[in-house]
């Protein structure tokens, strides 16, 4: 497969994770997202929930179309690692089943961040707004 098509496919596959999640939070899940952020003891849950929507939906769309791709990938990588640390902190969970599930999700988030770092380094490819 050609490099540019592969980079496009990679951006699409990563964006599939972020864009629908952000859309869902925006179109009906905002209160639930705020409650979930608050349940983790984080400050300013409304602001953090809005930040999650911004990252997932708008930065995810930027990654998808290849606009400011390197910065989008870097911001999403940072967002994903922070989400892993605060929302999948399996090491602090006493429920064995919840800890096991969150351990898997924690390492999946780290793997996604790793893929995003590859996008940051490699750029978007020719089939993008950036056309790198």
């Amino acid at each position: 497969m050609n490099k540019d098509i592969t980079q496009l496919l990679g951006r699409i596959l990563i964006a599939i994770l972020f864009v629908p999640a952000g859309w869902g939070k925006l179109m009906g899940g905002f209160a639930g997202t705020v409650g979930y952020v608050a349940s983790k003891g984080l400050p300013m849950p409304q602001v953090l929930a809005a930040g999650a929507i911004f990252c997932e939906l708008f930065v995810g769309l930027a990654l998808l179309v290849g606009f400011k791709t390197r910065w989008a990938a870097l911001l999403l990588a940072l967002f994903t690692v922070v989400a892993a640390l605060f929302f999948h902190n399996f090491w602090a969970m006493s429920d064995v089943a919840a800890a096991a599930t969150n351990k898997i999700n924690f390492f999946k988030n780290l793997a996604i961040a790793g893929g995003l770092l590859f996008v940051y380094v490699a750029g978007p490819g020719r089939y993008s707004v950036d056309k790198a």
Side-chain angles (χ1 to χ4, degrees), residues 43-94:
M44 302 180 297
Q46 292 88 354
V47 173
L48 292 176
I53 291 169
F54 175 79
C55 283
E56 289 176 337
L57 181 57
F58 297 107
V59 180
L61 286 170
L63 181 77
L64 176 65
V65 301
F67 176 72
K68 302 290 182 187
T69 309
R70 292 178 192 266
W71 290 110
L74 194 58
L75 183 58
L76 285 171
L78 178 64
F79 170 80
T80 303
V81 169
V82 169
L85 291 170
F86 286 102
F87 296 97
H88 300 297
N89 55 337
F90 65 92
W91 55 88
M93 297 178 176
S94 57

Side-chain angles (χ1 to χ4, degrees), residues 8 13 23 27 30 32 35 39 56 61 70 83 90 93-94 98-99 109 123 126 128 130:
L8 172 62
L13 292 174
W23 181 255
M27 298 309 292
F30 186 73
S39 77
E56 289 176 337
L61 286 170
R70 292 178 192 266
F90 65 92
M93 297 178 176
S94 57
N109 275 27
R126 184 173 28 158
S128 65
D130 293 341

